[in-house]
Amino acid sequence: MADNVQVNIDGKTLECPIIVGTEGDKAFDIGKLRSTTNFITMDPGFGNTGSCKSAITYLDGEKGVLRYRGIPIEQLAEKSTFVETSYLLIYGRLPNQKELEAFSDAFTEHSMIHEDMKNLFDAYPSTAHPMASLSAMVCSMSAYYPELIKENPTKEEIDRIAVQLLSKIRTICAFSHKKSIGEAFVYPRHDLRYVPNFLNMMFDSPTNPYKMTDEVVRAMQVLLILHADHEQNCSTSTVRLVGSSHANLYASISAGICALWGPLHGGANQAVIEMLEEIQANGGDVLKYIAKAKDKNDSFRLMGFGHRVYKNFDPRAKIIKKCADDLLNKLGIHDPLLDLAKRMEEAALKDEYFIARKLYPNVDFYSGIIYRAIGIPLNMFPVMFAIGRMPGWIAHWKEMIQDPTTKIGRPFQIYIGAPKTDYTPIEQR
Ligand code: ACO
């Protein structure tokens, strides 16, 4: 293969170096295009634009491949834990026993949030979406731990913020749930590991002690692992872009949480269940809603379907569908929404519109069924996604900030507004 791509515009020639990734992904570097030819490239939605080189996650949308640090997602979902997978993403390799224990212990040590932060929950109306309070709380952590806010944090300082964020997000999420249902906060326990501790803080109460089951803990582990990273998606790109201005990690992740909130991204898990409930309430006519999704004059979309990158299947959706089936069977739950979701998937996959556009269920199509079975309220679904995505955001922020070639993110535009116009004094308008 050639080393360069030649771009010829208006008699000017630019040699663009070719970059090839570990798995053969190819790009050419157009960094000097504007200074050489006065042209920029246009790619709204970044459907064809690489923003960085990254060694964290590999995905092949055509083949349905997803790997964290080279390890297939299927193996991690079956054998790993969320804490171990977080270590893998952030530090680039699997931990040994001692490292894993030290990492886990650090979560226990940092699980409490500053007592004063509890007042912030009181300031929020009970109607607030928990993603609003989560984003605000994560950004506010910068005020409570100012000693870690530095423009060029050391490796040790980054590690401390990472552990704090991973641990405290769990407590913040559980507290915001308790606040929304008007119950007293349940504090983190030192004898419980990451996922059991979270479930206990969410569901335990003095009048109704939480009965934890291995099946629920495992299902939650799987969901968190599957959400842990997904390379340059909307929220991760947001974290990188905000961080590229040297904004601190708390601020960058707070922005990522806001990006995740939208129904086209992490808010889709909530939107899927709302859609299924609506279809069920209106008689369960799957084909009617498929027709609505296809109708270009109707804004309705089949939530949980389609993906920018996956064009054959989303490997996470495959694992989650099986996980949902297994969990509901083990818990003896019959959820009519699961039947409806399966009928919907079957009908869509036979439909020419969905086939032609390569639209398949994504990670969020079945995840909500599992959250429902576990007892997580609907508006907390995107929050669960945020807990899962935390190690990915941290790993990307760290990779970006430690890369000496990183520049502040600053795209260009083509201006299409008014030409130069003189100011008119108000009395002459
Ligand atoms: N229902 C109906 N039609 C769809 C859907 C859908 N869910 N998704 C895409 N299409 C159609 C579009 O209308 C478009 O049709 P056209 O070519 O006739 O104009 C075509 O498929 C391509 O869709 P785009 O919107 O251009 O694809 P893009 O890559 O920009 O969007 C996205 C991907 C946002 C995920 C989209 O498929 C979607 O809105 N899905 C529903 C929301 C969802 O599930 N989001 C979660 C994604 S996974 C995640 O973020 C964790």
Side-chain angles (χ1 to χ4, degrees):
M1 194 186 5
D3 292 339
N4 292 304
V5 166
Q6 228 181 46
V7 178
N8 295 303
I9 306 175
D10 287 349
K12 290 176 189 135
T13 300
L14 175 69
E15 300 284 346
C16 302
I18 291 181
I19 302 162
V20 184
T22 319
E23 299 290 337
D25 295 343
K26 292 184 280 297
F28 58 91
D29 180 347
I30 49 92
K32 294 205 166 72
L33 185 67
R34 198 174 66 93
S35 57
T36 311
T37 67
N38 222 16
F39 272 76
I40 60 165
T41 53
M42 192 56 128
D43 184 19
F46 310 123
N48 202 60
T49 295
S51 59
C52 61
K53 292 184 209 162
S54 178
I56 301 169
T57 287
Y58 173 69
L59 76 87
D60 180 332
E62 293 300 325
K63 297 194 184 121
V65 170
L66 174 62
R67 299 179 198 139
Y68 298 161
R69 303 287 187 181
I71 304 179
I73 193 68
E74 293 79 6
Q75 293 179 22
L76 291 167
E78 193 190 331
K79 298 176 184 156
S80 187
T81 62
F82 179 59
V83 169
E84 186 185 50
T85 297
S86 299
Y87 189 104
L88 171 72
L89 285 166
I90 295 169
Y91 297 106
R93 59 171 177 81
L94 288 169
N96 61 32
Q97 189 63 37
K98 217 170 132 207
E99 289 164 333
L100 184 59
E101 273 164 26
F103 196 50
S104 273
D105 290 346
F107 286 146
T108 309
E109 189 191 324
H110 290 284
S111 56
M112 270 309 299
I113 54 172
H114 196 293
E115 268 305 290
D116 291 352
M117 273 189 86
K118 287 193 337 198
N119 299 329
L120 294 179
F121 288 98
D122 292 332
Y124 265 80
S126 54
T127 49
H129 194 287
M131 287 295 265
S133 49
L134 180 62
S135 167
M137 299 283 168
V138 167
C139 198
S140 304
M141 277 172 69
S142 60
Y144 290 90
Y145 306 98
E147 70 282 5
L148 296 175
I149 308 297
K150 299 201 174 130
E151 198 181 333
N152 294 306
T154 61
K155 200 183 143 303
E156 289 69 33
E157 283 161 347
I158 295 177
D159 287 352
R160 271 182 64 203
I161 308 179
V163 162
Q164 263 198 5
L165 273 169
L166 275 162
S167 186
K168 292 186 198 307
I169 191 176
R170 199 179 41 159
T171 313
I172 291 171
C173 293
F175 279 19
S176 73
H177 168 59
K178 286 291 190 188
K179 165 79 188 165
S180 74
I181 57 171
E183 280 188 11
F185 298 145
V186 174
Y187 281 70
R189 274 177 35 188
H190 278 222
D191 59 323
L192 293 177
R193 285 311 195 186
Y194 195 92
V195 170
N197 218 341
F198 171 68
L199 291 168
N200 190 64
M201 283 191 277
M202 282 286 290
F203 299 121
D204 194 49
S205 81
T207 49
N208 194 9
Y210 182 56
K211 291 182 204 75
M212 190 120 35
T213 65
D214 291 346
E215 288 81 13
V216 166
V217 172
R218 188 63 213 154
M220 183 65 85
Q221 296 273 15
V222 170
L223 282 179
L224 294 177
I225 291 169
L226 295 179
H227 285 89
D229 193 40
H230 212 236
E231 49 117 302
Q232 311 308 321
N233 55 83
C234 176
S235 56
T236 304
S237 298
T238 301
V239 170
R240 276 185 176 260
L241 189 62
V242 173
S244 76
S245 75
H246 291 190
N248 63 67
L249 184 50
Y250 302 111
S252 306
I253 288 191
S254 169
I257 291 168
C258 290
L260 186 75
W261 189 357
L264 297 191
H265 190 16
N269 51 18
Q270 177 176 346
V272 169
I273 296 297
E274 284 165 350
M275 173 188 78
L276 292 173
E277 283 175 344
E278 184 193 320
I279 298 172
Q280 192 189 34
N282 287 310
D285 187 346
V286 162
L287 294 181
K288 182 176 136 194
Y289 282 86
I290 299 261
K292 268 167 79 62
K294 289 160 40 174
D295 181 354
K296 293 292 174 200
N297 297 315
D298 191 325
S299 62
F300 177 79
R301 276 196 164 197
L302 197 49
M303 299 314 286
F305 253 74
H307 198 275
R308 171 62 61 79
V309 186
Y310 293 120
K311 298 298 173 198
N312 261 320
F313 68 95
D314 180 338
R316 304 166 301 173
K318 243 184 173 175
I319 300 169
I320 289 185
K321 185 178 178 186
K322 181 167 180 318
C323 185
D325 267 332
D326 290 350
L327 182 70
L328 268 59
N329 277 338
K330 279 179 191 146
L331 299 182
I333 296 174
H334 175 247
D335 185 345
L337 290 195
L338 178 59
D339 299 339
L340 188 61
K342 285 184 180 170
R343 281 201 287 129
M344 197 103 196
E345 177 185 357
E346 205 181 321
L349 294 185
K350 275 194 225 143
D351 191 291
E352 202 36 55
Y353 174 97
F354 290 87
I355 295 170
R357 289 168 182 76
K358 300 187 171 183
L359 301 171
Y360 295 86
N362 59 48
V363 66
D364 283 327
F365 195 62
Y366 288 104
S367 61
I369 303 282
I370 302 181
Y371 294 138
R372 267 163 69 92
I374 293 176
I376 308 245
L378 191 55
N379 65 357
M380 288 286 287
F381 291 6
V383 167
M384 302 311 301
F385 196 149
I387 300 179
R389 187 53 56 88
M390 186 62 88
W393 287 332
I394 294 170
H396 281 275
W397 187 90
K398 192 174 159 200
E399 186 179 67
M400 180 270 312
I401 214 77
Q402 291 179 338
D403 177 355
T405 67
T406 298
K407 290 181 175 183
I408 187 166
R410 205 295 185 194
F412 279 85
Q413 62 165 19
I414 296 293
Y415 175 70
I416 57 163
K420 181 172 182 277
T421 311
D422 287 328
Y423 175 79
T424 322
I426 195 152
E427 58 281 7
Q428 291 172 23
R429 278 179 232 158

